[in-house]
Amino acid sequence: MVFNSYTFIVFFLVMMGLYNLPISWKSRKIILLLGSYLFYAAWNPPFILLLWLSTVIDFFVGRALYTQENKAKKKALLVISLIGNLGMLCFFKYGGFLLENFVSLVNALGMDFHPAKPNIILPAGISFYTFTTLCYTIDMYKKESKPVKSLLDFSLFVTFFPHLVAGPIVRPPQLVPQFESPKKATRLQLYQGLFLLSLGLFMKVVLADTFLSGPADTVFSAKAALQTLDAWMGVLAFSGQIFFDFAGYSTCAIGVAACMGFTLPENFRYPYGATGFSDFWRRWHITLSAWLRDYLYIPIGGNRKGPVRTYINLMITMLLGGLWHGANWTFVVWGALHGLYLSIERFIQGMKPNAGLQNAQVAGVSMRLGFVKALFVFFLVNVTWVFFRAPDFTSAWQLLTAMFTQNSKGEIVLSTLQVISVSVIIVGMVLCHWRMRNTSVLATAGKLPSWLLGLVWAILLILLILSQESSGSFIYFQF
Amino acid sequence: MEHRSLRNACIVATVLVLAFLTFWELRIRSTKVGISYDDGAELWSHYRAKVYLPADQATVFIGSSRNKYDLDLETWEKRTGEKAIQLAFEGTSPVPALHDLANDSLFKGKLMIDVTEGLVLTTSPYNFKAIDGAIAYYKKQTPAQKFSFQVNRVLESQFVFLERDYYSIKALLNRIPLKERPGIQHEPYFPIDFGRITFGRQDKMTDRFVQDTNIQNQVKGIWAYFTKMAMKEPPPPQKSIDSIFTQIAADVKKIKARGGQVLFVRTPSTGPFYMGETMAFPRAQIWDHILQITEAPGIHFSDYPSLAGFQCPEFSHLSPKDAITYTNNLIDIIEAGKWWQFPHKSAGK
């Protein structure tokens, strides 16, 4: 189920009621677990089996990995876990893509091979829970944390409904200890959670779905060449849509967890206020970036094997990060562009003494220069979004051409209202990201007088109710 | 941050939201607008799931808005003793719904197809968007979506402001008169009194619409706009018309082969609208041809005095009062022609 649905509102109220019953902590955890399975099954019940399979395999393999002293057996166990997790991900997510490319390859070699197209349904959130379970088994292999004691706690770690289908991607030390002792939300956590849930739903339903998805869809599905303004508005709309959609989901997830007394890691920190690309990736989908850094970039060498290998490692990490988002070459190019940006940035920084400090902190750099840098990063990130959202390279190229050449004969596809809406929201978003880049929404909300915060909160809720876009699924569900 | 500060903010927000929604609901109701359901894919899917009732317990209706305005569902159900399952969609071709039912081997019931010639022969994607979207939604509908629909149904039955087509943010903003960019055209804005939608998916004109010729003229103007737009398009090539006929024939054959019963109906239209339709779509080439290739019975309103005497307020659809008379007369004709039997029917009209 999705957060922006009546089903979720009812589910959440029932869960809050049951979770706060005066019963044992174990019973409350069982309620949470069953609720989490219901949350997942409400989308497509049979896929719950995959979730169980993944949970059970990784619980037992993880424990065996931790206790196994024989190196060969230990490696074999790790391979079993990797094959189990990545095999499932590959089949469901990349099966069609791999077959399509294999067919293209053999046909190019002169073989006439045309198999039937596989009709594979992608289980919601498989990329997220696979990464969650993978990090557990890898941690067990490296003995970086202790095995989870009970299957109940491990199942809850994997399945806890706020993070299950679209993150934040949690690590065992971030969540498992929270299941070990009885939890109940403090009043502050409850109010903060409700505020974050309202804010997340507002971002998703009002900003992403009501105002930005329409212009983005229109522009990215246009067949004809577009006018420059329309092309830019469509891409900017998508840059806002994907942020509000995904950050909205994460905000809801963190808020829902807080209402039950749990803390989930931050996933977005005003990314469009970033003054560099490494800064951007410390702010955008933080838990994935950190996962890729810790479980891919560093293990393949990171920056420990000289500059050339560092650049290669960066590119490998970003290419695979791109592929994680979707089984299409356009995602690979999106990742490659980010890898390229990061490499260039690193190269430039390497030429400056003590330049490493400049990126993440604006202190010492004038605000104006910092803002110009942020705008430049935002501009280049928008170029990458073209590949991320376009269905194929022809469409992407057509759109880029429209963005960077003056085509007075291009088609106009966006209405005046859409152009105004996108302009207002995107300018507001960028200014907000810049201004808020070193703080958090809760810290800012805490500084407001109650009446003003109440007014803002009311406006969010009223717009949410009036938007009446109740069932659109989140973009990141498909990843 | 202190919890008291947030608690106070939460109280302020709750009071403001409740105050605003009360004000908004009362304001809309003061304009004498009643409840109307959101007629999207969710509601359509709710009824699509009911087509499996045995043939002597239900009739399924597909087509476009004329079926939704002209057929009074309550009258149909009262007279026939059967469920009326309305699957028509405004401004859409009946072909996708027919194809969907034909390829559902479990559907073996009675099917009435509204023939609005321009929409039967259309190839414009615009005329397929709603029905294709609804069919796709039905096939992929999740348990969570079904539950949300049931909650929404309760809320929609109580609050007028939840009507998406007129009172959502998008609808409200779209009504702001802005100078439009060249080449951008908006869908015409139908007056709210033209169609209020019941939970059974029947469209009903309000009393104000039936009485006020100014509002009727607004809709007549919209028909003129659509006609003008259609005339700008090249006529569909004969090849595509032939393929539409072939598909209709094949789909009807499939339904009949497993015991289903199909009846075509040409609902009334009047004035210049009807004149234009008869000129653009000669009866022999469309209506008669459909009956011939499908070997299914059909009722053309112009063949029956009891159906031919209606005046459509905006040339194309019947008023709610006439819809009741029309439905009664239609049932009489179906029975007299012995096309369908209604074993559970009640005696009185």
Side-chain angles (χ1 to χ4, degrees), chain A residues 1 5-8 10 41-45 187-188 191-192 194-195 206 209-211 227 229-230 412-417 419-420 442-443 445-446 448 450-451 453-455 457-458 461-463 465-471, chain B residues 1-10 12-14 16-17 20-21 24 42 137 140-149 151-152 155 161-165 167-170 172-174 176 178-184 186:
Chain A
M1 79 183 68
S5 66
Y6 290 130
T7 306
F8 178 74
V10 174
W43 166 72
N44 194 336
R187 275 189 275 184
L188 179 64
Y191 288 121
Q192 285 182 336
L194 290 175
F195 179 70
V206 180
D209 287 356
T210 304
F211 288 108
Q227 287 218 346
L229 178 66
D230 290 69
I412 292 175
V413 291
L414 298 180
S415 67
T416 306
L417 182 64
V419 171
I420 293 171
L442 288 177
L448 295 177
S450 296
W451 68 267
L453 181 59
L455 181 66
W457 200 340
L461 290 173
I462 288 168
L463 290 174
I465 293 167
L466 292 188
S467 70
Q468 300 184 41
E469 300 279 345
S470 62
S471 56
Chain B
M1 185 190 279
E2 278 188 31
H3 87 264
R4 281 201 191 106
S5 159
L6 262 174
R7 183 199 60 194
N8 293 344
C10 189
V12 170
T14 307
L16 288 176
V17 169
F20 174 81
L21 293 181
W24 187 229
E42 297 89 349
Y137 180 87
K140 289 184 178 174
Q141 197 179 18
T142 65
Q145 286 171 328
K146 287 180 187 171
F147 185 82
S148 282
F149 170 78
V151 178
N152 188 44
L155 294 173
F161 74 81
L162 287 178
E163 187 179 355
R164 193 186 302 181
D165 289 347
Y167 298 114
S168 65
I169 293 178
K170 247 186 201 172
L172 294 169
L173 288 175
N174 279 334
I176 298 172
L178 291 170
K179 191 185 172 197
E180 200 42 277
R181 302 175 72 210
I184 296 292
H186 288 278

Side-chain angles (χ1 to χ4, degrees), chain B residues 15-91:
Chain B
V15 170
L16 288 176
V17 169
L18 290 176
F20 174 81
L21 293 181
T22 307
F23 160 77
W24 187 229
E25 177 73 10
L26 291 175
R27 190 180 178 280
I28 295 171
R29 283 187 186 257
S30 71
T31 61
K32 309 275 183 223
V33 169
I35 295 291
S36 180
Y37 288 85
D38 179 23
D39 193 19
E42 297 89 349
L43 187 56
W44 188 89
S45 298
H46 175 71
Y47 286 102
R48 173 63 181 80
K50 295 183 187 297
V51 303
Y52 306 110
L53 286 169
D56 67 344
Q57 287 179 27
T59 303
V60 178
F61 302 89
I62 61 171
S64 54
S65 56
R66 286 185 187 162
N67 236 353
K68 294 188 67 189
Y69 276 90
D70 297 359
L71 198 91
D72 187 69
L73 300 180
E74 201 181 326
T75 305
W76 182 276
E77 292 188 345
K78 210 169 151 189
R79 277 286 309 277
T80 63
E82 298 180 1
K83 293 296 285 180
I85 300 168
Q86 183 57 271
L87 295 182
F89 247 125
E90 292 85 348

Side-chain angles (χ1 to χ4, degrees), chain B residues 258-301:
Chain B
R258 52 177 186 258
Q261 301 166 57
V262 177
L263 178 67
F264 288 93
V265 172
R266 172 54 161 95
T267 45
S269 53
T270 54
F273 206 113
Y274 182 51
M275 277 172 58
E277 285 180 307
T278 46
M279 279 194 290
F281 310 107
R283 177 170 169 160
Q285 289 171 29
I286 314 293
W287 172 257
D288 294 343
H289 186 61
I290 288 175
L291 298 191
Q292 187 201 335
I293 57 169
T294 57
E295 296 176 359
I299 298 172
H300 195 295
F301 79 97

